[in-house]
Amino acid sequence: QVQLVESGGGSVQAGGSLRLSCVVSGYAYSDGYCLGWFRRVPGKEREGVAGIENDGETLYADSVKGRFSTSKDIATNTLYLQMNDLQPEDTGVYFCAARGTWCYVLLSGADLNNNYWGQGTQVTVS
């Protein structure tokens, strides 16, 4: 089965940057998965943040557009989320996710039980 292990969270001052990594196992490029990112901010519902299609096209939530970017390295089976100009409201637990569907579906939050999930990593911005 697909497993995801993420890392790279931490604490940063407002305006700073972090890069999250997510190593995906049990996944093949030919599976055609969207690989994406969610976050859980206290007091809010889980939010789809960013995703990358099998062909490399990316999709972002309005809340992070222009500040975050996601990419993948097929050779190392690693998904990345580069977070720039971080703001205190970005504080939360970030989860990588994978699903054999289009990223707009994954990030919509529909049928979350169909997603594979990373364990989450804390991002704190002050």
Side-chain angles (χ1 to χ4, degrees):
Q1 71 274 32
V2 176
Q3 294 186 344
L4 302 91
V5 179
E6 61 192 287
S7 61
S11 182
V12 67
Q13 297 295 308
S17 298
L18 287 171
R19 188 180 74 164
L20 306 183
S21 300
C22 177
V23 178
V24 185
S25 62
Y27 168 82
Y29 181 79
S30 60
D31 289 339
Y33 278 37
C34 174
L35 305 177
W37 298 90
F38 285 75
R39 66 185 179 187
R40 182 71 174 96
V41 176
K44 295 184 178 180
E45 299 296 324
R46 185 170 297 192
E47 176 187 23
V49 172
I52 184 165
E53 306 280 7
N54 193 54
D55 66 1
E57 184 177 0
T58 54
L59 181 65
Y60 300 97
D62 288 342
S63 58
V64 306
K65 187 177 181 181
R67 299 186 297 119
F68 292 11
S69 63
T70 189
S71 61
K72 60 183 178 182
D73 186 333
I74 297 173
T76 60
N77 298 320
T78 304
L79 173 71
Y80 298 99
L81 182 66
Q82 178 67 47
M83 303 183 292
N84 298 324
D85 191 26
L86 283 161
Q87 303 169 5
E89 52 264 41
D90 295 316
T91 294
V93 180
Y94 284 69
F95 302 85
C96 55
R99 185 173 167 184
T101 189
W102 300 105
C103 283
Y104 82 90
V105 176
L106 175 72
L107 299 181
S108 75
D111 301 321
L112 293 176
N113 58 309
N114 293 128
N115 295 356
Y116 296 98
W117 294 98
Q119 80 281 6
T121 186
Q122 177 70 39
V123 171
T124 302
V125 185
S126 61

